[in-house]
Amino acid sequence: MNQTITLRPTDRGDIAAIDALLARSYPALLKGDYPPSTLVTAVPLISRAQPRLIMSGTYYIAEDAAGRALGAGGWTRTRGRAATADIRHVATSVDHLRRGVGRAILSHVFAQARAAGVLQFECMATLTALPFYRAMGFVEVGAAKVPLAPGVTFPAIRMVRSG
């Protein structure tokens, strides 16, 4: 990567920046792998910051030297499985793809989660993100449909990675 990035835990003040990041990135990145009928219903729902996640202490923003959001992502413990974490809402700014931002975020997530006793990671990857998650050591478990709202699901791939 050509520029220095800073990773830090998010707080309430980051909601607008993360909303903007997701709203710019998801429509542009997903359009090659999903039909318009899926995007028109799903993108408005998935491209919103989740305040509880933002304030969890386990969600991080990657910023450049000027404080611009380059990416975000985090983890939460998998309900009922203390040694497993779910990778949550990872996104890279569409104009900073393939510059190490996503790798930096996930590497930080892995280190922080392992320090908290996590031994396994799970994620629901978009079809677009499959190559990235494979490169980060995840393996595919199978197809999944992520419920977003009554009658609205989003096709994804369930993936896992050991420690």
Side-chain angles (χ1 to χ4, degrees):
M1 188 165 81
N2 296 339
Q3 64 184 8
T4 302
I5 65 168
T6 301
L7 287 164
R8 63 171 176 79
T10 53
D11 60 36
R12 184 177 296 282
D14 295 311
I15 291 174
I18 292 171
D19 269 346
L21 169 76
L22 298 174
R24 277 190 323 271
S25 294
Y26 282 153
L29 297 175
L30 300 177
K31 70 181 175 184
D33 295 301
Y34 291 92
S37 59
T38 298
L39 295 177
V40 75
T41 57
V43 167
L45 298 171
I46 64 174
S47 61
R48 302 282 303 160
Q50 300 170 15
R52 188 179 320 165
L53 181 60
I54 298 290
M55 296 181 301
S56 69
T58 61
Y59 194 75
Y60 309 94
I61 189 167
E63 298 173 315
D64 65 11
R68 288 182 296 256
L70 306 177
W75 66 280
T76 55
R77 289 199 189 271
T78 303
R79 190 170 295 172
R81 296 175 24 216
T84 303
D86 292 314
I87 299 299
R88 303 286 306 277
H89 228 179
V90 176
T92 298
S93 174
V94 70
D95 52 343
H96 286 86
L97 294 176
R98 293 172 186 74
R99 295 186 190 176
V101 174
R103 181 174 292 279
I105 291 167
L106 271 193
S107 295
H108 184 73
V109 163
F110 295 153
Q112 296 298 309
R114 279 193 301 266
V118 170
L119 304 174
Q120 180 171 297
F121 298 91
E122 296 183 357
C123 74
M124 293 295 205
T126 65
L127 301 175
T128 308
L130 275 175
F132 169 71
Y133 283 110
R134 285 180 187 136
M136 294 301 297
F138 284 83
V139 295
E140 297 169 45
V141 174
K145 291 199 179 280
V146 178
L148 299 177
V152 180
T153 60
F154 187 75
I157 304 296
R158 184 170 170 265
M159 301 184 84
V160 298
R161 177 187 194 270
S162 294

